[in-house]
Amino acid sequence: MFLRLLHFSVLSAFVVSGCVSTVPSRDVAERRVTPEIVQAIPAMNQFGATQTSAPERSNAQIAADFLELSFQMESGRQIERLSRFEGPVTITVAPGAPASLSPDLDRLIDRLRTEARIDIRRVPYGTQANITVETLPRERMQRFVPEAACFVVPRVTSWAEFRRARNSRDMDWTTLEVRERVAVFLPNDVAPQEVRDCLHEEVAQAMGPLNDLYRLDDSVFNDDNFHAVLTGFDMLILRAYYDDAIRSGMTRAEVAAVLPGILARLNPRGEGVGGPVDQSPTPRAWIEAIETALGPGTRAPERVIAADRAVTIARQSGLSDARLAFSYFALGRLSLATDVEGSVNAFLAAANIYDRIAPGGIHAAHIDMQLAAFALSSGRADEALRLSGQALPAATRAQNASLLSTLLMIRAEALDAMGRASEARQVRLDSLAWGRYGFGNTAAVGARLTEVAALAP
C-alpha cells in the first residue's frame, strides 16, 4: 500500500513562533485583521493549465531513476515484475467528494492524456472502472492507517472492500503482474489544495511507479512533498511506463534493455546531456532521522535533535543534493522556536544547495517565505517585500495556493508598513482568494491572516 504521509505534508505550514514581535499577537491581530476583512473573503481562486518543463538531466540518469522507482517499494522490498493497466484506463469518483475535486480531476486527466499520452477517461460512478476515487473524513481513514494523509491500494474498488481485505495478501503490490482494479482514498474534510495534491500523487502511483526517492528534486515521487502537482519529469516517467515497448510482467532486466531506446525517442534532449549517473542510496539512518524529526509522536526537542542528526548523516555520507538541502530545511523549520539564528543559518544553507540544483524553484520559494517572515518581524519591510516577490513566480508555477496566499499576506503587511495602504488592501484581498483554495474554510484563512499580521512590529 502506498500512502502520502501526514508529517511530510505539513512542511509547507507557516511558522511564526520565535520570530514574533514583542507586541502581544492578539493586540496586533485585532489591529490588523478586522472581522470585516475576514468576512469579505472573495471567491476562491483556482489554477488553470499547468506549465511544466522537461527534465534537464541525462536520459541515463532518468533511466536509473525509472528503474529504482518502478522495481522497489518505499520499504526497500524489491518488485520482481512491472505491473500497469493494459488497454484504456477508466477512472470514477464515488459520491460525497468535495466540489473542488471534480474540476481538479478533469484537469489531471487532461494532462495525463496530453503530456503522458495515456488513454484515460472518466466514467460515471457505478460503471466498472480501473481506478475508483473515494473520499471520507480523515479521522475515519486514520483509524486504519494512522499516519496517512491519503493512500492507494490494489484489487479493491471501495472503502468497504479495503476494510475487509486490508490484512490479506491482496493488498500486496508486489504480487501484481497486471493492474485491473485500484482504489484511491482521499480526505473530504481538508482544504481543496490538499485534496488535489493527494489526487495527483495517488493517481500517479495507482497507474505507475510505487516508490519515492528523496534524491529527486523535480518530482512528486519524493516524500519531501515540495511538489504539489505532477511535474514534467513525472509525466515523462508515466509516458515511458505506458510506452508500447513495455508491458506488464517484464522484469527489471527486460525493462532496462528497452528503456534507453524509449527515452531517446520521448526525450531526445536528454541524449546530449552528460555527467555521472547518481544512484547513491539514501542511508536508512538518514530516513529514520527525518521520520523522527517530522513524524508524529515526537517531542519538540527530540525533533530538533533528529533533524540535526539528519544533517550530520547526509554530510558524512557525502550527499550534496536534495537530501542534504532537505535536512537543513527541516532543521531550520524545527529550530525556529528555540534558535532563531541557527534556524536562519539552516535555511540559508538549504537555499545555497537548492540554488545550485533547482535554481528559482519551489524549494527556494518556501525558504524565501520563511526568510520574508523573519524580515517582516524584524522591521525590514523592504526586504520582506523583495523576498516574497522573488518567491511568487515559483509558487505560481508550482500551483501552491497556500504558499502563494502566505507570500501575498506577507507582502500586504510589508506594504502597510511602508505606507502603501491601498496596494496592501488589494494584495491582501488576492491572498484571501488564494487562501480559500490553499487553506479551506474562512476560519482557516482568517487564522493564517492573523498569524502573518502578528509578525508586523
Side-chain angles (χ1 to χ4, degrees):
M1 153 192 340
F2 175 80
L3 54 87
R4 183 181 179 93
L5 298 179
L6 277 173
H7 49 286
F8 292 112
S9 64
V10 302
L11 275 177
S12 60
F14 183 63
V15 181
V16 299
S17 57
C19 57
V20 180
S21 68
T22 55
V23 181
S25 62
R26 61 178 183 279
D27 295 336
V28 177
E30 288 170 0
R31 174 171 60 84
R32 295 283 186 181
V33 185
T34 65
E36 289 77 15
I37 291 176
V38 176
Q39 290 170 7
I41 294 180
M44 181 173 69
N45 276 350
Q46 286 187 279
F47 295 100
T50 304
Q51 296 181 343
T52 61
S53 56
E56 297 183 359
R57 54 191 179 278
S58 69
N59 280 345
Q61 179 64 63
I62 295 171
D65 297 335
F66 182 102
L67 293 172
E68 192 169 351
L69 285 170
S70 304
F71 287 93
Q72 185 171 305
M73 301 291 291
E74 287 185 70
S75 63
R77 291 177 63 204
Q78 297 299 306
I79 298 173
E80 297 300 324
R81 296 184 179 276
L82 181 141
S83 67
R84 69 176 194 183
F85 295 107
E86 297 295 342
V89 181
T90 53
I91 185 168
T92 192
V93 180
S100 64
L101 187 148
S102 186
D104 279 336
L105 177 58
D106 288 341
R107 280 188 282 270
L108 174 58
I109 290 172
D110 183 64
R111 288 192 62 201
L112 290 170
R113 291 181 65 87
T114 58
E115 296 179 51
R117 309 292 175 86
I118 295 173
D119 185 1
I120 180 172
R121 62 186 176 89
R122 189 169 173 179
V123 296
Y125 184 71
T127 306
Q128 188 173 14
N130 299 118
I131 303 172
T132 301
V133 178
E134 185 169 348
T135 63
L136 59 156
R138 171 164 284 173
E139 181 182 359
R140 188 175 168 198
M141 291 172 55
Q142 291 176 347
R143 291 176 196 161
F144 297 92
V145 189
E147 294 183 0
C150 43
F151 60 99
V152 57
V153 292
R155 296 189 175 109
V156 299
T157 60
S158 69
W159 180 253
E161 279 189 75
F162 163 70
R163 288 186 59 184
R164 289 193 296 269
R166 69 184 188 276
N167 294 320
S168 74
R169 187 168 168 77
D170 286 347
M171 298 292 97
D172 187 349
W173 287 96
T174 66
T175 64
L176 290 178
E177 283 206 11
V178 178
R179 301 184 196 183
E180 296 176 338
R181 297 181 303 143
V182 171
V184 169
F185 298 115
L186 313 177
N188 59 12
D189 52 0
V190 297
Q193 176 171 313
E194 186 165 353
V195 176
R196 181 211 60 190
D197 295 357
C198 277
L199 185 69
H200 274 243
E201 184 164 354
E202 303 311 327
V203 169
Q205 297 205 289
M207 300 183 66
L210 298 165
N211 196 7
D212 280 321
L213 297 175
Y214 278 105
R215 73 166 185 264
L216 300 179
D217 59 75
D218 59 351
S219 175
V220 300
F221 297 116
N222 186 331
D223 270 334
D224 66 13
N225 283 2
F226 275 111
H227 288 282
V229 298
L230 293 172
T231 67
F233 169 85
D234 300 328
M235 287 298 180
L236 176 60
I237 291 294
L238 288 171
R239 189 175 175 186
Y241 209 89
Y242 280 83
D243 190 86
D244 289 341
I246 289 178
R247 63 185 183 277
S248 291
M250 291 178 72
T251 65
R252 182 179 182 125
E254 289 171 333
V255 172
V258 299
L259 197 52
I262 294 173
L263 292 175
R265 178 165 30 87
L266 302 184
N267 187 45
R269 61 181 290 176
E271 290 296 289
V273 180
V277 174
D278 179 11
Q279 292 180 279
S280 57
T282 301
R284 176 52 56 180
W286 182 88
I287 295 175
E288 291 172 355
I290 286 292
E291 290 179 346
T292 299
L294 303 175
T298 306
R299 295 169 56 247
E302 295 167 350
R303 291 180 186 275
V304 176
I305 293 171
D308 190 58
R309 186 164 65 250
V311 171
T312 300
I313 294 170
R315 290 175 63 89
Q316 291 177 344
S317 301
L319 303 179
S320 59
D321 56 11
R323 290 166 288 190
L324 178 58
F326 187 50
S327 304
Y328 278 121
F329 181 84
L331 180 60
R333 175 82 164 69
L334 295 168
S335 60
L336 188 58
T338 56
D339 181 7
V340 173
E341 183 178 357
S343 175
V344 171
N345 288 336
F347 281 132
L348 292 174
N352 286 335
I353 300 171
Y354 285 131
D355 284 344
R356 173 173 53 82
I357 64 177
I362 188 62
H363 317 82
H366 277 278
I367 295 169
D368 283 341
M369 181 268 285
Q370 297 285 358
L371 296 178
F374 282 118
L376 182 64
S377 69
S378 60
R380 294 177 291 124
D382 55 342
E383 181 68 359
L385 200 63
R386 184 189 70 81
L387 287 165
S388 58
Q390 181 174 279
L392 285 175
T396 303
R397 285 195 306 271
Q399 300 198 348
N400 190 322
S402 59
L403 178 60
L404 184 58
S405 175
T406 302
L407 288 165
L408 291 170
M409 290 177 186
I410 292 173
R411 288 183 68 77
E413 291 300 325
L415 288 166
D416 262 338
M418 299 169 73
R420 297 158 63 177
S422 61
E423 289 180 71
R425 178 171 178 78
Q426 184 55 51
V427 170
R428 188 174 288 112
L429 286 174
D430 199 20
S431 79
L432 299 179
W434 286 115
R436 276 196 182 278
Y437 187 79
F439 301 117
N441 58 42
T442 300
V445 177
R448 178 54 57 91
L449 194 63
T450 298
E451 288 179 335
V452 175
L455 288 172

